[in-house]
């Protein structure tokens, strides 16, 4: 059996080269006579792995020295709590609601303080990004929060909100490393790695040093304190060691591919193949306004739930898997993260053309 094209939104496709390397090193990593899963997180070998991963990520994203890079656990969802617990000094934060993940983060923040939903695209099923050029930012806001790429709805901020001097906190789970970004524009970035970087179980946090302090909300668990993890270089307790090792391999893979500029060009090329087809199709239709389309997650529909189901089923039989849309949106969604080869997108579009021919009444 060969590998299929996996369009899952997450956990998602990883580069084949990385999986092969990991397989080769499974029983004996680098002459240590054991797999990375079996070694102490305090060993020289693992120290090498985590330091190299951080170095490569810093290089790829051009992360300035006044930002800490943390490899944590608990997924992106745990950051929904960690962010307010660490950053809400005034107990006020402004949230922009562009989908389910932003909404969940907002609802979590409401537990800890006054979270304000200052903009939303709920009125049109989150099919666009609201104008964020002049938002009613709260005087007292400790930060402004966005979900930069909306995995479920397939929208992406093309310009960052004007936060009027407040730190920007951004969930980059489904777009980290898909293109270059200017880290200095953010106070805190976090990303669960299982969309675009590695196996579930690792969350990357990139945080400006002045936002790290002892002064967290009173009931903050030790494990949710950024200061603890920063002071201990992500080794306060046993980290998700194997996951970090795979992330490190993906960072190297991206470097070999030419870095984030090259990733961006490749991702744009892939997305264009799919969007161009959708724009002229008489059967399929993209669900997002053109200006705000994601390069990573592409939702589309036929407008007929039965036909959508038929498409998903036949696509699977043709080796194109996990195209069913999110349960809250219906239709289809093709997630075409960094590791999805151009051939995968071409195969999808070829299949869609054939399906359109056969099913257009
Ligand atoms: C998948 C996803 C999450 C949730 O990630 P978990 O690691 O499962 O908690 C949060 N935000 C975005 C943008 C996502 O795509």
């Amino acid at each position: 059996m060969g590998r299929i094209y996996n369009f899952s939104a997450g956990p998602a496709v990883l580069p084949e080269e990385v999986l092969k390397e990991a397989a080769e090193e499974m029983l004996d990593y680098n002459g240590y006579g054991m797999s990375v899963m079996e070694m102490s997180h305090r060993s020289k070998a693992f120290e090498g792995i985590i330091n190299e991963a951080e170095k490569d990520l810093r290089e790829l994203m051009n992360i300035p020295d006044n930002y800490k890079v943390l490899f944590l656990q608990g997924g992106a969802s745990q950051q929904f709590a960690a962010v307010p617990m660490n950053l809400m000094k005034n107990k006020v934060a402004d949230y922009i609601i562009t989908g389910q993940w932003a909404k969940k983060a907002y609802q979590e923040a409401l537990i800890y303080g006054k979270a304000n939903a200052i903009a939303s695209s709920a009125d049109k099923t989150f099919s666009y990004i609201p104008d964020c050029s002049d938002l009613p930012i709260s005087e007292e806001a400790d930060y402004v929060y966005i979900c930069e790429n909306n995995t479920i709805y397939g929208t992406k901020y093309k310009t960052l909100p004007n936060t009027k001097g407040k730190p920007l906190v951004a969930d980059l789970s489904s777009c980290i490393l898909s293109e270059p970004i200017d880290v200095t524009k953010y106070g805190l970035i976090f990303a669960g790695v299982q969309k675009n970087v590695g196996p579930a179980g690792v969350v990357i946090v990139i945080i400006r040093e002045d936002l790290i302090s002892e002064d967290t909300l009173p009931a903050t668990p030790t494990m949710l304190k950024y200061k603890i993890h920063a002071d201990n270089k992500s080794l306060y307790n046993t980290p998700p060691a194997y996951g970090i090792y795979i992330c490190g391999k993906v960072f190297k893979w991206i470097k070999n591919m030419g870095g984030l500029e090259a990733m961006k060009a490749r991702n744009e090329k892939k997305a264009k193949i799919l969007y161009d087809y959708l724009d002229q199709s008489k059967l399929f239709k993209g669900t997002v306004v053109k200006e705000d389309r994601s390069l990573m997650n592409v939702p589309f529909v036929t407008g007929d739930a039965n036909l959508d189901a038929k498409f998903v089923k036949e696509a699977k039989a043709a080796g194109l898997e996990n195209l069913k849309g999110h349960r809250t949106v219906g239709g289809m969604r093709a997630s075409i993260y960094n590791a999805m080869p151009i051939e995968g997108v071409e195969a999808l579009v070829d299949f869609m053309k054939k399906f359109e021919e056969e099913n257009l009444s």
Side-chain angles (χ1 to χ4, degrees):
M1 228 192 96
R3 278 170 64 79
I4 51 95
Y5 287 121
N6 180 8
F7 294 93
S8 172
V13 57
L14 286 169
E16 210 168 292
E17 296 91 326
V18 166
L19 296 176
K20 280 187 179 145
E21 251 184 61
E24 279 162 21
E25 293 173 353
M26 181 63 78
L27 295 180
D28 175 10
Y29 172 73
N30 235 354
Y32 286 96
M34 63 179 95
S35 88
V36 174
M37 274 182 251
E38 301 167 295
M39 57 178 59
S40 165
H41 58 293
R42 313 265 175 220
S43 64
K44 268 268 164 299
F46 186 71
E47 199 183 315
I49 289 170
I50 192 167
N51 289 345
E52 185 92 354
E54 175 173 342
K55 182 174 126 311
D56 286 337
L57 183 64
R58 283 185 177 277
E59 204 176 303
L60 277 171
M61 292 182 71
N62 198 16
I63 300 172
D65 288 344
N66 64 324
Y67 285 74
K68 293 283 192 217
V69 173
L70 309 175
F71 295 101
L72 307 179
Q73 312 194 42
S77 300
Q78 183 145 286
Q79 296 305 310
F80 297 169
V83 164
M85 289 186 124
N86 284 271
L87 267 48
M88 263 192 178
K89 311 290 178 208
N90 300 326
K91 294 211 176 189
V92 179
D94 290 343
Y95 281 71
I96 302 171
I97 315 295
T98 51
Q100 261 203 34
W101 295 120
K103 193 171 160 194
K104 282 191 170 156
Y106 162 69
Q107 286 168 336
E108 192 74 16
L110 281 171
I111 300 172
Y112 306 104
K114 187 166 182 296
N116 306 302
I118 55 165
S120 167
S121 52
D123 61 334
K124 291 184 181 151
T125 332
F126 301 117
S127 57
Y128 70 103
I129 299 289
D131 176 6
C132 296
S133 55
D134 186 18
L135 294 168
I137 308 285
S138 313
E139 194 77 31
E140 295 272 87
D142 293 302
Y143 58 89
V144 176
Y145 183 101
I146 62 167
C147 177
E148 188 156 327
N149 182 79
N150 295 280
T151 324
I152 297 174
Y153 298 94
T155 58
K156 158 100 202 310
Y157 285 80
K158 300 295 158 80
T159 38
L160 293 175
N162 174 3
T163 64
K164 303 183 181 170
K166 305 293 185 190
L168 179 66
V169 172
D171 176 355
L172 264 64
S173 294
S174 52
C175 61
I176 189 167
L177 299 174
S178 64
E179 60 183 337
I181 62 163
D182 180 354
V183 174
T184 65
K185 297 224 152 57
Y186 302 80
L188 188 155
I189 291 166
F190 68 87
V193 302
Q194 73 273 26
K195 311 290 163 65
N196 214 11
V197 192
V202 183
V203 58
I204 294 169
V205 174
I206 302 165
I207 179 170
R208 213 174 58 212
E209 276 169 356
D210 61 285
L211 296 173
I212 302 174
S213 79
E214 309 263 13
D215 178 24
T216 58
L217 295 187
T220 305
T222 306
M223 277 294 290
L224 292 196
K225 292 182 180 174
Y226 293 132
K227 182 143 195 337
I228 287 283
H229 293 296
D231 288 351
N232 290 281
K233 296 173 139 267
S234 304
L235 295 173
Y236 169 71
N237 70 326
T238 318
Y242 195 79
I244 294 167
Y245 155 78
I246 300 290
C247 290
K249 288 205 177 297
V250 172
F251 301 154
K252 292 260 185 248
W253 178 79
I254 295 173
K255 281 175 76 176
N256 285 337
M257 298 285 286
L260 296 191
E261 284 294 352
M263 268 318 44
K264 181 182 187 206
R266 187 168 178 265
N267 288 327
E268 282 175 344
K269 188 171 168 193
K270 285 188 298 185
K272 188 173 188 311
I273 294 170
L274 188 46
Y275 285 125
D276 280 354
Y277 167 68
L278 284 172
D279 286 341
Q280 59 75 58
S281 170
K282 294 191 174 59
L283 184 66
F284 299 102
K285 186 162 111 352
T287 58
V288 168
V289 301
K290 280 191 190 174
E291 315 82 80
D292 300 329
R293 283 170 164 175
S294 166
L295 291 180
M296 300 280 97
N297 311 99
V298 183
F300 55 96
V301 294
T302 65
D304 172 345
N306 290 330
L307 203 53
D308 287 350
K310 183 174 181 226
F311 175 82
V312 171
K313 188 166 165 238
E314 290 182 8
K316 182 171 159 70
L320 309 165
E321 290 202 24
N322 294 316
L323 284 161
K324 192 168 186 291
H326 190 269
R327 60 200 144 79
T328 60
V329 187
M332 280 72 71
R333 171 179 48 172
S335 294
I336 49 175
Y337 296 118
N338 281 352
M340 173 59 65
I342 289 179
E343 294 75 29
V345 180
E346 287 170 344
L348 172 62
V349 169
D350 285 345
F351 181 80
M352 289 170 80
K353 283 179 183 162
K354 183 169 143 284
F355 188 88
E356 177 166 347
E357 262 172 38
E358 290 167 2
N359 291 276
L360 200 61
S361 44

